[in-house]
Amino acid sequence: AQTVTQSQPEMSVQEAETVTLSCTYDTSESNYYLFWYKQPPSRQMILVIRQEAYKQQNATENRFSVNFQKAAKSFSLKISDSQLGDTAMYFCAFAVNTGGFKTIFGAGTRLFVKA
Amino acid sequence: DTEVTQTPKHLVMGMTNKKSLKCEQHMGHRAMYWYKQKAKKPPELMFVYSYEKLSINESVPSRFSPECPNSSLLNLHLHALQPEDSALYLCASSQAGGLADEQYFGPGTRLTVT
C-alpha cells in the first residue's frame, strides 16, 4: 500500500522566520515523484515544489527547498523568510504508476504565518 | 491561459436529483482528474482521464458518472447522491498524466446533498 504521513496537523511561524514541514511516505515502487502542494484559504491548490526519486540533489524553488532522504522515505519542506501569503494548507504527495499514474496526498499541515 | 475552471461554484441538490459538474481547461493538457475533498482532509482521487479515455476509477460508486467529451472538457454526472457525498469536488489537469506532471487545480464545486 502507498501511504503519505504528515505528522504535524498545524504549525505557526513568525513572519521572516524559517519553518520546516515534515512528510514521510511508504511505497515499494522504485520510480516515483514527490510533490508539495499549497492550498491557501478559499483559493486553488498550486504546486510548490517537486522532486524526482532518482535525483539525489534536493529541489529548490526560491524560498522553498526540500530535504529528500530516500532511504528514510522522508521528504520535508523548508520555507525560508516566511511571508503572510504562505499561510495555507500544505499537502505532501507522491505520484506512482499503479497501472495508471495516480497521486496520493498526505493529510496536510495547516501553516499560519504571524505578523 | 493556465486556468482550470469549474461550474457551478456551489450546488445544493436533493437525493433524487440529477445534476452535472463541469470542468474546462485550455492548456492543451491531455490528462484530467476528479477529486473529492472533505473539510480539513486531503483530496481523494476519484477518476483519471488520459487522452480522453478513463484510465483510473478508484472504485467510486456508480452514482458518480464521469464523462470526457473532448480533451478540454470533463464532466461529472451525479444521480441519487447521499448526504455523505457532500464535499468539495476538485477538477485538475496535467500535461500528459505522467509521474512528473504538475497538476493544475480548479477552484472546486462545493456540493451539498440534502
Side-chain angles (χ1 to χ4, degrees):
Chain A
Q2 332 277 353
T3 59
V4 181
T5 302
Q6 294 179 249
S7 58
Q8 305 149 314
E10 272 191 16
M11 296 187 72
S12 63
V13 63
Q14 208 65 35
E15 197 176 9
E17 292 187 348
T18 295
V19 63
T20 298
L21 280 55
S22 65
C23 172
T24 58
Y25 61 94
D26 191 21
T27 181
S28 55
E29 300 291 329
S30 58
N31 187 23
Y32 52 90
Y33 266 77
L34 294 157
F35 303 83
W36 279 96
Y37 281 91
K38 165 186 176 180
Q39 190 173 35
S42 302
R43 293 180 60 191
Q44 279 153 265
M45 185 139 61
I46 58 172
L47 177 70
V48 175
I49 197 166
R50 76 185 118 186
Q51 172 84 40
E52 183 177 3
Y54 277 112
K55 284 194 175 169
Q56 304 250 358
Q57 187 173 5
N58 289 324
T60 62
E61 287 285 343
N62 301 313
R63 298 183 294 108
F64 299 89
S65 62
V66 299
N67 183 2
F68 175 45
Q69 302 288 328
K70 189 171 184 178
K73 294 183 179 172
S74 168
F75 182 61
S76 61
L77 175 70
K78 185 170 88 170
I79 306 173
S80 305
D81 186 25
S82 297
Q83 300 176 358
L84 296 178
D86 295 333
T87 292
M89 180 73 98
Y90 287 82
F91 292 104
C92 177
F94 76 91
V96 65
N97 186 356
T98 57
F101 297 112
K102 64 185 281 189
T103 302
I104 299 160
F105 289 83
T109 295
R110 189 168 296 278
L111 177 68
F112 296 94
V113 180
K114 298 180 286 190
Chain B
D1 183 2
T2 59
E3 197 177 43
V4 175
T5 58
Q6 291 187 243
T7 55
K9 284 188 168 50
H10 301 274
L11 178 62
V12 179
M13 60 185 289
M15 288 189 283
T16 57
N17 291 159
K18 283 185 183 181
K19 296 285 185 184
S20 297
L21 309 185
K22 295 186 186 304
C23 174
E24 193 166 1
Q25 57 88 14
H26 295 288
M27 294 177 277
H29 289 174
R30 302 311 300 270
M32 295 186 78
Y33 311 77
W34 280 116
Y35 289 89
K36 174 182 177 180
Q37 187 178 26
K38 294 283 231 179
K40 299 186 180 180
K41 297 289 187 185
E44 295 174 26
L45 184 65
M46 300 174 72
F47 304 104
V48 180
Y49 274 83
S50 180
Y51 292 84
E52 295 145 60
K53 292 195 186 318
L54 185 65
S55 60
I56 293 181
N57 176 344
E58 289 288 278
S59 303
V60 179
S62 59
R63 57 186 184 268
F64 294 91
S65 175
E67 178 196 19
C68 189
N70 60 57
S71 59
S72 300
L73 292 173
L74 185 67
N75 298 321
L76 186 63
H77 302 298
L78 314 172
H79 173 55
L81 294 192
Q82 304 297 309
E84 60 264 29
D85 297 322
S86 298
L88 182 68
Y89 287 83
L90 295 171
C91 173
S93 71
S94 70
Q95 192 165 5
L99 278 183
D101 283 3
E102 172 183 357
Q103 290 185 43
Y104 292 77
F105 286 83
T109 293
R110 189 160 299 282
L111 174 68
T112 303
V113 181
T114 61

